[in-house]
Amino acid sequence: MKSEPSEFSIDDLVSAKGQTTGWFGVRNYQARNFMRDEMRLGDMGFFYHSSCPEPGIAGLVTVCNEAYPDPTQFDSSSDYFDPKSNEEAPRWVQVDVRLIRKTKLLSLAVMRVHPGLQTLRILQKGNRLSITPVTEEEAAVLNELLT
DNA sequence: GCCAACGTTGGC
DNA sequence: GCCAACGTTGGC
């Protein structure tokens, strides 16, 4: 799960109420579908810092609420307002995640050269999705590296 | 700031 | 329904 730390960082999550946040603002259909169709209560997520000096995984989170309508799509004062959506047929959803723990930074550079991570979606050329699935095998390698 | 990659838009 | 143009993402 990608976030620009200047927008919302792992430290923001550490200090958030209940160390929990709604993952609002996703406005890409593929990423939305991953949240809606694949993410289930108790699933683990990797909190990734993007578009920053040191991109990489900065912490572990768990899904504490499954997909529900993202309220910012209805808020005309929000950057994430979508005039084409409506309450009867919400277009965008979010999940809530809770901090498991902040980790040392596992940099993109390190992940790129690790033999066990070559299949990771986030490393593929042209990858732009803010939400991508991680396989059990990949998760095991990541957990090992983050220990 | 550059640029590759990809998604979205809108005219036809 | 095609596809060119445009916008966005995000690493470097």
Side-chain angles (χ1 to χ4, degrees):
Chain A
M1 305 178 75
K2 286 187 201 171
S3 180
E4 299 185 19
S6 58
E7 287 293 315
F8 189 84
S9 72
I10 193 72
D11 290 325
D12 292 326
L13 183 57
V14 167
S15 56
K17 184 183 172 192
Q19 299 194 321
T20 296
T21 187
W23 208 263
F24 60 89
V26 172
R27 294 294 179 269
N28 171 283
Y29 289 104
Q30 262 186 284
R32 178 203 65 182
N33 293 348
F34 285 138
M35 281 200 292
R36 186 190 61 193
D37 304 334
E38 310 288 340
M39 295 177 78
R40 292 294 172 262
L41 200 63
D43 281 353
M44 178 181 282
F46 298 90
F47 193 119
Y48 180 90
H49 282 172
S50 67
S51 294
C52 59
E54 266 199 302
I57 293 172
L60 299 174
V61 298
T62 185
V63 175
C64 61
N65 261 314
E66 293 185 5
Y68 62 96
D70 174 350
T72 63
Q73 70 194 301
F74 309 124
D75 176 2
S76 58
S77 69
S78 168
D79 286 344
Y80 300 113
F81 178 60
D82 182 353
K84 293 179 185 170
S85 186
N86 60 76
E87 310 253 3
E88 289 68 39
R91 180 175 293 196
W92 306 111
V93 299
Q94 66 179 72
V95 297
D96 293 341
V97 297
R98 183 173 358 99
L99 182 74
I100 295 176
R101 62 186 174 90
K102 180 180 172 176
T103 62
K104 65 180 178 186
L105 188 93
L106 175 54
S107 74
L108 179 60
V110 167
M111 289 193 280
R112 277 205 194 288
V113 298
H114 194 288
L117 294 176
Q118 296 311 300
T119 56
L120 207 58
R121 286 281 276 267
I122 206 165
L123 302 183
Q124 307 311 308
K125 196 172 184 179
N127 158 72
R128 283 176 20 185
L129 290 179
S130 60
I131 307 274
T132 50
V134 175
T135 67
E136 292 290 343
E137 293 79 8
E138 293 162 348
V141 175
L142 289 173
N143 275 315
E144 183 70 29
L145 292 171
L146 290 165
T147 299

